[in-house]
């Protein structure tokens, strides 16, 4: 079945530095979703990308969907301690199913 | 709008014991999911319901796991008997599927420790 791979698994940054996590799929995705999970918390939906080459922004967060719809990235500008958590991408399982299959996530640690 | 409710929040049991988790989805959400999240990994789907019917249970270990959603609202997930490797957070999510707009809303989860 469809799998999405995320890198890196962990990222340590100093507060104020930028952060990027990447999500890759071996097959074309109809859409991709991003979720954030705070330590001890549950995944919270951030955004969904549908169109080839789509770019969406939410304040300091920029989400991109690749032209081939096989990869995506999340970029955070000037990280803050509130950005700490694990960021997951999720792509549909495939075969007509809309059930998202989650990557392993990238854990962001922000040092003040 | 109330979110997805789950109980209990924590459960500690010994191996070979039984355990049950409860979930109440967001009102009006026809689709309900149970996920297992092992520490350091992403959520893994166990079962998906559409109203009170099972849509996908291909990754549910049916020899020990069972789930039901009898009236199309609340759902329970049961493990009988539990194994050490079942230690994980069990997340319930619901969605109002609209075409490809399958945004999932998660509950706080139940953290299970099997000793």
């Amino acid at each position: 079945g469809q799998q999405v791979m995320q890198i890196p698994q962990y990222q340590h940054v100093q507060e104020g530095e930028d952060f990027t996590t990447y999500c890759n799929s071996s097959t074309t995705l109809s859409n991709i979703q991003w979720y954030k999970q705070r330590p001890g918390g549950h995944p919270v939906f951030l955004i969904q990308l549908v169109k080839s080459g789509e770019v969406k922004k939410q304040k300091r967060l920029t989400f991109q969907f690749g032209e081939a719809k096989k990869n995506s990235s999340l970029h955070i500008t000037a990280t803050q301690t509130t950005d700490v958590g694990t960021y997951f991408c999720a792509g549909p399982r495939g075969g007509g199913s809309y059930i998202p299959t989650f990557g392993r996530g990238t854990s962001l640690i922000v040092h003040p | 709008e109330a979110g997805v409710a789950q109980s209990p929040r924590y459960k500690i049991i010994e191996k070979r014991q039984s355990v049950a988790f409860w979930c109440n989805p967001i009102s009006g959400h026809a689709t309900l999911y149970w996920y297992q999240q092992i520490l350091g990994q992403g959520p893994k789907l166990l079962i998906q319901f559409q109203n009170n019917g099972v849509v996908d249970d291909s990754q549910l270990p049916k020899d020990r796991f069972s789930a039901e959603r009898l009236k199309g609202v609340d759902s329970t997930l049961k493990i009988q008997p539990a194994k050490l490797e079942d230690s994980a957070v069990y997340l319930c999510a619901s969605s109002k599927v609209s075409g490809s707009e399958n945004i999932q809303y998660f509950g706080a989860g139940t953290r299970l420790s099997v000793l």
Side-chain angles (χ1 to χ4, degrees), chain A residues 1 3 11 20 23-24 28 48 51 60 79 84 86 104:
Chain A
Q3 282 193 329
Q11 184 77 58
T20 305
C23 183
N24 296 293
T28 301
Q48 175 169 288
K51 299 176 184 176
R60 294 176 297 103
T79 54
V84 165
T86 301
R104 291 198 62 157

Side-chain angles (χ1 to χ4, degrees), chain B:
Chain B
E1 179 182 75
V4 176
Q6 286 190 251
S7 68
R9 286 298 313 276
Y10 306 92
K11 191 73 178 177
I12 301 173
I13 60 173
E14 295 188 348
K15 59 184 180 183
R16 292 188 288 274
Q17 285 188 322
S18 302
V19 65
F21 313 125
W22 173 83
C23 173
N24 183 257
I26 292 173
S27 177
H29 282 192
T31 309
L32 184 147
Y33 313 80
W34 282 102
Y35 286 89
Q36 180 192 59
Q37 186 174 26
I38 292 172
L39 188 64
Q41 298 182 19
K44 171 191 163 185
L45 181 71
L46 293 175
I47 190 167
Q48 177 196 1
F49 292 95
Q50 182 76 16
N51 296 310
N52 62 349
V54 174
V55 174
D56 188 310
D57 64 356
S58 57
Q59 298 190 99
L60 186 74
K62 298 180 186 64
D63 58 332
R64 298 184 300 106
F65 286 64
S66 64
E68 59 183 14
R69 193 184 184 200
L70 293 176
K71 296 183 179 179
V73 181
D74 293 10
S75 177
T76 56
L77 175 69
K78 297 180 182 178
I79 307 175
Q80 180 180 10
K83 292 186 176 181
L84 296 177
E85 59 260 36
D86 298 332
S87 294
V89 175
Y90 290 84
L91 294 163
C92 178
S94 69
S95 71
K96 185 164 49 177
V97 179
S98 174
S100 60
E101 284 272 333
N102 185 15
I103 298 169
Q104 302 202 31
Y105 297 86
F106 286 83
T110 297
R111 185 175 298 274
L112 174 66
S113 296
V114 183
L115 307 178

Side-chain angles (χ1 to χ4, degrees), chain A residues 26-94:
Chain A
S26 57
T27 60
T28 301
L29 301 169
S30 59
N31 65 76
I32 194 153
Q33 297 179 343
W34 286 92
Y35 291 78
K36 176 184 179 180
Q37 186 172 24
R38 294 182 185 274
H42 57 277
V44 175
F45 174 80
L46 293 176
I47 207 158
Q48 175 169 288
L49 305 172
V50 179
K51 299 176 184 176
S52 169
E54 189 170 13
V55 178
K56 286 188 177 180
K57 292 190 175 185
Q58 289 179 352
K59 297 183 180 178
R60 294 176 297 103
L61 277 61
T62 302
F63 303 85
Q64 287 190 300
F65 202 8
E67 293 290 340
K69 300 181 75 173
K70 288 186 176 182
N71 57 73
S72 181
S73 65
L74 158 59
H75 180 81
I76 303 178
T77 303
T79 54
Q80 301 175 358
T81 54
T82 52
D83 296 325
V84 165
T86 301
Y87 294 85
F88 294 99
C89 63
R93 180 171 294 178

Side-chain angles (χ1 to χ4, degrees), chain A residues 98-112:
Chain A
Y98 291 123
I99 302 172
T101 299
F102 286 80
R104 291 198 62 157
T106 295
S107 293
L108 171 63
I109 301 100
V110 180
H111 299 278

